[in-house]
Amino acid sequence: MGIEGIGARVARKEDRRFITGAGRYVDDMVVPGMKHAAFVRSPHAHAQIKKIDVRQAQAMPGVIGVLTGKELKADGIGNLICGWMIHSKDGTPMKMGAWSPLAFDKVRYVGDAVAIVVAETKGQARDAAEAVEVTYKELKAVVDASKALEKGAPQIHPEAENNLIFDWELGDSQATDAAIKASAHVTRMKIVNNRLVPNAIEPRAALGYYDRAEDHYTCWTTSQNPHLARLVMSAFYNVAPENKLRVIAPDVGGGFGSKIYIYPEEIVCLWASKKTGVPVKWVADRTESFLSDAHGRDHVSTVEMAFDKNNRITGLKVDTIANLGAYMSLFSSCVPTYLYATLLSGQYNIPAIHANVRAVYTNTAPVDAYRGAGRPEATYLVERTMETAARELGVSPAELRRTNFISSFPHQTPVIMNYDAGNYAASLDAAMKVSDYAGFSVRKAAAAKKGKLRGIGMSCYIEACGLAPSAAVGSLGAGVGLWESAEVRVNAVGTIEVLTGSHSHGQGHETTFAQLVNQRFGVPIDSVSIVHGDTDKVQMGMGTYGSRSGAVGMSAVAKALDKVEAKAKKIAAHLLEADEGDIVIENGALKVTGTDKSVPWFQMALAAYTAHNLPGGMEPGLKETSFYDPSNFTFPAGCYICEVEIDPETGMTEIVQFVAADDFGNIINPMIVEGQVHGGIAQGVGQALLEGAYYDASGQLLTASYMDYTMPRADDLPSFKVSTSNTPCPGNPLGIKGCGEAGAIGSPPAVINAITDAIGINDIAMPASPSTVWAAIRATKH
């Protein structure tokens, strides 16, 4: 390992510009003649649009144009789509309702966009938006997914009878029912996974620019996958031909999944630019983000987990109702299906599993992937049930898990996934040792003397990352392949540019990708540039989500580096009059093994471009590309242990210890990995203790600002104790599994297991706020 290579704790290159205020985000972009946009949004959760009168707004100072959905439809702009087809168990396709970028006949949630105002300034645009007069006929709304399925509930889309999008199943129902019937013990629970708002630090933004002279469109957007944005906007939304559309995602201030999708705003800004003849910029305010960003989670499930007389799990039966909101977002359908039910085996050897999932429309913001995307929901369900089962069986939660761990690999689960490698006992042992699990009773007794309730809880999670083998996901309904691309350019002076289809929005790619190049060629990472986020610069790629940048994106880079290395060695062998097989690359030079003969990296690169002395028949230059399609998912796993202390008089919960022991396979930069784990745990703790999106019965979002939606702060969190073990992934050339979502997946059940242990109950709702905890404590006394 070099000081800048794989495994080194290298400080992030990109942080210099971020901490000095030199980052360039969409809101920093200015083009000549640029104007500002504001959207008119529905104040009603469900209503017919009777009339839109724009005359007063159009006459206001600075207003350039006021555009509505009828004009958008007349210009042939298409509806937003869901890109993953799910079929119900009766074989019928999912019921995808129409989602116009600007609603023109009906609104279906508070925040649904109905018009756009373009004006000289942001203030003028907002003032004029308030002057647009929309006449609505209000309809009854439904926000609860279970109630939306009831007969007589408001019908949200004509395509979906009783608001049912699909009724899907996975696994063997008969075998699972038989296992439950023959079992020695069954643990039954109702599991609710609360709705969350992603809250990336940078709100969504879009700048659309139509160049009339070139008949060309450019869209600057806060996107995790700009190439997919270009593909969808051209192929499905008819905004512009793909060859006439450039999408740029510059620095992006966090995404957490919420910036994967194509939203109405970027479509409308591009269209509005052509209609008005000016570049159009829109930046969401925070309340707009609460209302219109895709939300996460929102599952209600019942679960039955069956055990034999030796406490081995024999069957798992799950029934889930997933609230997808008012419209189907781009990847919404796969989150409660193939990213959820396929992980219900957890780390355990369960012979029979069956899951039934009903996805439902409600008059709420659309729901899609949020950090973990289905995996947190599966882990929460399995790990809450395991902890409860241990209490019912009177055995140690740790030993019940150990009894049921998968110990032989590869392991085929009953729900599609084939786990390739792992050592779950190692993570459990590491977490138990660091947390002093055995000494907990002493700490509990000490807390009791202070009048505090102390509890401990664990969570053993597994996730499927490295999305994903294209043929496999295609067979499951995905509309695109999930490979990744890379191009490596060695310049004439030896500097290197890596162009990647992955997108960095906090992950540290500019550092870790450069470390990979350093490891291979020995060149300083400062001589390596990472280029991403621009469809005119980078060849087609699939973006960043599902912890795929390392396992898939870097594997594509590694494959391109293989080709560069092979050609570089040929050139060096020719220059040094040596056999190609004797050439090694060390410390920025190409050397002949066993001799003092060498040629510096930059000199070899210059020779490639001067082309004065190349091997016969070799093309000049040194640039290679690669498209990498993974052979399997990757399977990060780990064990988290949380210890809490609760004040019974106030219900205040303090996390006094949090231990994370993860297996991420090979690690490129431990410091960056630790940062990812810290951030993920913070988000998971937020879900468990503080965060929750709530609508009233009429569909008004009650938590539309930080006055009502509580985010975790520094004093809500302890200093985390994190460690890693390593079973390398056999499915990619770097042995990487991925680390970006683990913290958010494993932490919520660990926290809730600790709280319920402290109080002496089996369940408590997330978020376990002080009032909720206080009420639960009082309930135990009656």
Side-chain angles (χ1 to χ4, degrees):
M1 181 186 79
I3 59 171
E4 294 184 329
I6 291 176
R9 301 177 69 87
V10 177
R12 298 195 341 167
K13 292 171 59 179
E14 50 269 71
D15 283 353
R16 177 177 295 275
R17 72 174 184 274
F18 294 144
I19 63 177
T20 58
R24 299 192 72 218
Y25 300 88
V26 172
D27 197 27
D28 296 314
M29 302 300 164
V30 177
V31 297
M34 184 183 79
K35 310 304 177 185
H36 298 269
F39 282 86
V40 179
R41 298 185 183 276
S42 170
H44 304 295
H46 200 197
Q48 292 176 351
I49 299 173
K50 292 303 200 180
K51 182 182 178 183
I52 302 177
D53 188 343
V54 305
R55 290 173 294 178
Q56 183 181 344
Q58 187 74 65
M60 291 179 69
V63 173
I64 293 162
V66 183
L67 305 171
T68 67
K70 286 187 177 179
E71 294 163 273
L72 180 133
K73 285 296 157 192
D75 285 350
I77 303 299
N79 292 328
L80 282 85
I81 62 161
C82 177
W84 196 302
M85 173 55 71
I86 297 294
H87 287 84
S88 290
K89 54 192 178 187
D90 65 3
T92 58
M94 65 189 188
K95 306 301 189 293
M96 184 165 60
W99 184 6
S100 173
L102 291 175
F104 61 92
D105 58 350
K106 191 178 183 184
V107 291
R108 293 177 172 87
Y109 72 101
V110 173
D112 215 348
V114 299
I116 182 174
V117 176
V118 179
E120 293 286 344
T121 69
K122 186 182 293 187
Q124 289 172 332
R126 289 181 173 179
D127 288 345
E130 291 183 5
V132 174
E133 296 181 10
V134 185
T135 304
Y136 296 99
K137 179 184 177 182
E138 196 169 354
L139 305 171
K140 287 185 178 181
V142 60
V143 300
D144 181 282
S146 298
K147 292 180 179 178
L149 289 171
E150 294 175 359
K151 191 173 183 179
Q155 184 75 30
I156 298 171
H157 289 278
E159 297 88 349
E161 186 178 355
N162 295 325
N163 301 310
L164 180 65
I165 301 169
F166 55 76
D167 184 357
W168 175 90
E169 68 177 346
L170 183 67
D172 189 329
S173 179
Q174 288 186 335
T176 305
D177 288 343
I180 292 170
K181 187 176 181 180
S183 64
H185 176 82
V186 180
T187 293
R188 295 179 172 89
M189 296 189 75
K190 179 181 179 181
I191 302 287
V192 178
N193 210 289
N194 47 322
R195 178 182 281 241
L196 302 174
V197 179
N199 279 302
I201 195 169
E202 178 201 21
R204 287 191 296 114
L207 168 55
Y209 172 42
Y210 175 66
D211 183 336
R212 196 173 302 276
E214 298 288 337
D215 187 28
H216 187 275
Y217 298 76
T218 303
C219 179
W220 288 264
T221 180
T222 48
S223 174
Q224 297 177 219
N225 48 359
H227 282 98
L228 190 60
R230 184 175 76 152
L231 171 65
V232 173
M233 283 196 287
S234 62
F236 298 100
Y237 306 153
N238 304 320
V239 175
E242 195 170 11
N243 64 315
K244 291 181 177 291
L245 175 59
R246 179 184 186 184
V247 176
I248 302 170
D251 290 330
V252 173
F256 312 119
S258 69
K259 294 175 182 173
I260 298 172
Y261 331 113
I262 318 305
Y263 288 90
E265 290 85 1
E266 49 260 51
I267 300 168
V268 175
C269 283
L270 278 169
W271 168 73
S273 177
K274 184 173 184 179
K275 293 288 283 187
T276 60
V278 297
V280 176
K281 180 196 278 188
W282 167 80
V283 180
D285 62 31
R286 189 55 69 178
T287 294
E288 271 188 298
S289 296
F290 274 100
L291 290 173
S292 64
D293 286 4
H295 292 181
R297 317 289 191 246
D298 206 344
H299 283 196
V300 177
S301 302
T302 57
V303 56
E304 296 176 276
M305 184 178 282
F307 295 84
D308 67 14
K309 63 181 181 180
N310 298 314
N311 295 337
R312 293 189 179 276
I313 306 171
T314 58
L316 178 68
K317 190 174 187 67
V318 175
D319 184 88
T320 295
I321 298 175
N323 187 344
L324 295 191
Y327 302 103
M328 295 191 75
S329 181
L330 190 63
F331 288 125
S332 60
S333 59
C334 70
V335 175
T337 53
Y338 291 113
L339 295 181
Y340 164 68
T342 56
L343 275 302
L344 287 172
S345 192
Q347 297 185 6
Y348 311 115
N349 189 357
I350 305 177
I353 299 174
H354 180 260
N356 196 94
V357 177
R358 287 170 287 170
V360 183
Y361 286 120
T362 63
N363 295 115
T364 62
V367 175
D368 210 316
Y370 170 62
R371 198 169 190 172
R375 283 73 53 88
E377 296 91 320
T379 295
Y380 187 75
L381 184 146
V382 171
E383 290 305 293
R384 287 288 297 115
T385 309
M386 281 295 283
E387 196 87 1
T388 303
R391 296 168 188 173
E392 291 177 352
L393 292 166
V395 299
S396 158
E399 294 314 307
L400 182 62
R401 288 173 168 88
R402 192 187 303 275
T403 296
N404 285 282
F405 278 158
I406 296 161
S407 56
S408 174
F409 296 89
H411 175 83
Q412 179 62 54
T413 74
V415 280
I416 296 180
M417 293 300 182
N418 188 285
Y419 300 167
D420 51 12
N423 186 346
Y424 308 142
S427 294
L428 175 65
D429 291 340
M432 291 178 70
K433 181 178 180 181
V434 172
S435 66
D436 185 22
Y437 194 82
F440 171 71
S441 59
V442 175
R443 299 191 295 278
K444 186 178 180 72
K449 290 180 180 178
K450 299 185 297 180
K452 300 291 181 70
L453 304 174
R454 198 169 182 116
I456 195 166
M458 68 169 50
S459 166
C460 293
Y461 77 90
I462 190 167
E463 53 170 328
C465 293
L467 308 179
S470 296
V473 296
S475 70
L476 301 178
V480 293
L482 294 178
W483 44 266
E484 196 47 85
S485 72
E487 180 180 344
V488 176
R489 299 175 182 171
V490 181
N491 298 319
V493 293
T495 57
I496 297 173
E497 297 168 48
V498 176
L499 294 86
T500 173
S502 299
H503 186 275
S504 183
H505 39 276
Q507 292 86 353
H509 294 173
E510 292 175 38
T511 304
T512 52
F513 283 45
Q515 286 182 258
L516 178 59
V517 177
N518 168 270
Q519 181 78 17
R520 186 68 71 92
F521 299 143
V523 296
I525 64 171
D526 284 340
S527 71
V528 181
S529 299
I530 309 301
V531 181
H532 64 93
D534 188 335
T535 61
D536 268 16
K537 293 181 178 179
V538 180
Q539 65 189 3
M540 179 75 176
M542 299 312 297
T544 293
Y545 41 85
S547 302
R548 70 191 305 271
S549 294
V552 186
M554 292 186 77
S555 290
V557 174
K559 292 291 188 181
L561 291 174
D562 289 344
K563 298 176 184 178
V564 169
E565 179 179 340
K567 186 171 182 179
K569 285 182 175 180
K570 285 185 172 70
I571 295 170
H574 182 73
L575 295 174
L576 296 169
E577 298 180 339
D579 187 272
E580 183 185 330
D582 293 333
I583 302 295
V584 294
I585 304 176
E586 294 176 352
N587 301 319
L590 296 99
K591 304 175 181 179
V592 181
T593 304
T595 74
D596 59 359
K597 296 171 64 177
S598 68
V599 58
W601 176 264
F602 76 88
Q603 192 171 321
M604 178 279 305
L606 186 62
Y609 285 94
T610 59
H612 296 162
N613 185 17
L614 291 177
M618 177 179 282
E619 293 182 355
L622 191 51
K623 179 183 79 170
E624 299 290 349
T625 64
S626 172
F627 286 77
Y628 175 75
D629 199 358
S631 59
N632 192 6
F633 294 88
T634 65
F635 299 98
C639 178
Y640 289 1
I641 296 179
C642 176
E643 200 164 327
V644 301
E645 218 170 66
I646 299 172
D647 183 340
E649 298 303 315
T650 64
M652 281 295 296
T653 299
E654 178 187 3
I655 297 177
V656 292
Q657 178 176 236
F658 199 105
V659 173
D662 296 290
D663 179 358
F664 297 135
N666 292 335
I667 289 173
I668 304 297
N669 187 319
M671 183 165 58
I672 286 177
V673 167
E674 289 164 11
Q676 288 287 317
V677 174
H678 288 181
I681 294 172
Q683 284 181 278
V685 168
Q687 175 173 15
L689 295 182
L690 304 165
E691 298 183 51
Y694 297 99
Y695 289 85
D696 69 12
S698 69
Q700 294 296 323
L701 182 62
L702 301 176
T703 48
S705 77
Y706 292 133
M707 294 291 289
D708 303 296
Y709 188 98
T710 310
M711 296 284 286
R713 296 173 293 189
D715 62 353
D716 294 312
L717 305 168
S719 181
F720 306 123
K721 300 174 183 177
V722 301
S723 66
T724 57
S725 57
N726 182 1
T727 56
C729 174
N732 63 65
L734 298 172
I736 293 173
K737 293 183 179 180
C739 68
E741 298 163 293
I745 293 170
S747 53
V751 174
I752 297 300
N753 286 341
I755 291 172
T756 54
D757 177 60
I759 299 173
I761 57 177
N762 278 344
D763 199 20
I764 193 168
M766 294 193 294
S769 64
S771 61
T772 299
V773 172
W774 184 86
I777 294 169
R778 292 297 172 276
T780 64
K781 296 181 179 180
H782 298 291

